[in-house]
Amino acid sequence: MPIMRAAFASRFDDANPLAALTVGERPEPAHPDDDWVTIEVTASSLNHHDLWSLRGVGLGEEQLPMILGCDAAGLDPDGNPVVVYPVVPTPGDPRGVSILSEHFPGTLAERVAVPRANLLPLPAGLAATDAACLPTAWLTAWRMLTTKGRADEAEAVLVQGAGGGVATAAVALAAAMGKRVYATSRDAAKRERITALGAIAVEPGARLPERVDVVIETVGAATFDHSLKSAAPMARIVVSGATAGHEPKVNLRRVFAMQLEILGTSMGTTDELTALLAFCAERAVRPVVDSVVPFSTVEAAFARLHSGEVFGKVVVDHTA
């Protein structure tokens, strides 16, 4: 059986997810249907989703071993540079869809199989290592700001917990849209770096000089009360994560008195990814990259993400 090199979950370890990571040989990608094609991966990027998978969140023992990775850029069977949209129709999943590395093998491999409809052209001038950052974290941030947050109607945006992939993407994108951006972080060094991206950096819970029209919330319980207090009348609080607690206390009187919208979202559509790629290419917006790690030492990429010290995306270069 033809084989390839890949990074995959071989077991689960909630306390030490890195111990559940294996880098080794796996079979070449299979095609579940006639419309699937195999992509030669040139670049990928990591998400916290990969660490959760190693902990056993969203995967069962019967799905092991599972190749990790949601994001990729690569070459299609004709040699054209493409970006992979990672959401795949999955009739057996309650959502009707899944993300690569949940039911179907992921992108942290030499090759990955996806439906042909999931391939988008790589825009000219956008490097594969940059494009590989976009399909998950940046697409989520884009949808939070545009489709859900209606940032075109907003003047000011608050991003909670800047430093992580989605939050940092939201800062960069909102700044490129010309919005006043406030961003919180507990880390003084990260606040300094966020300022360089065009945001006004503040400590968590700090009173803002104005109420904002859109709040980007990926932290959860630790910041949600601050999000409510910082929201202007009829503001949108858009939630795509809960890294610091998923059951916050919510002051409902503030919600109805201020006519706030609390909106949940995850990922985005192919049309939204197409729009994001075009926006980045036309506005010269480039993803915030924490580090680029050769695929030959992909374990180091996981260790970097797990350290909690990342600022932006950890990228894997499959050509190195």
Side-chain angles (χ1 to χ4, degrees), residues 94-108:
R95 301 166 294 179
V97 297
S98 65
I99 304 171
L100 292 175
S101 78
E102 292 181 342
H103 291 278
F104 300 99
T107 59
L108 287 167

Side-chain angles (χ1 to χ4, degrees), residues 71 85-87 99 135-137 139-140 143-144 265-269 272:
D71 295 335
Y85 175 64
V87 180
I99 304 171
T136 299
L139 177 58
T140 298
R143 180 176 174 84
M144 292 176 81
T265 192
S266 179
M267 297 296 292
T269 66
E272 287 166 335

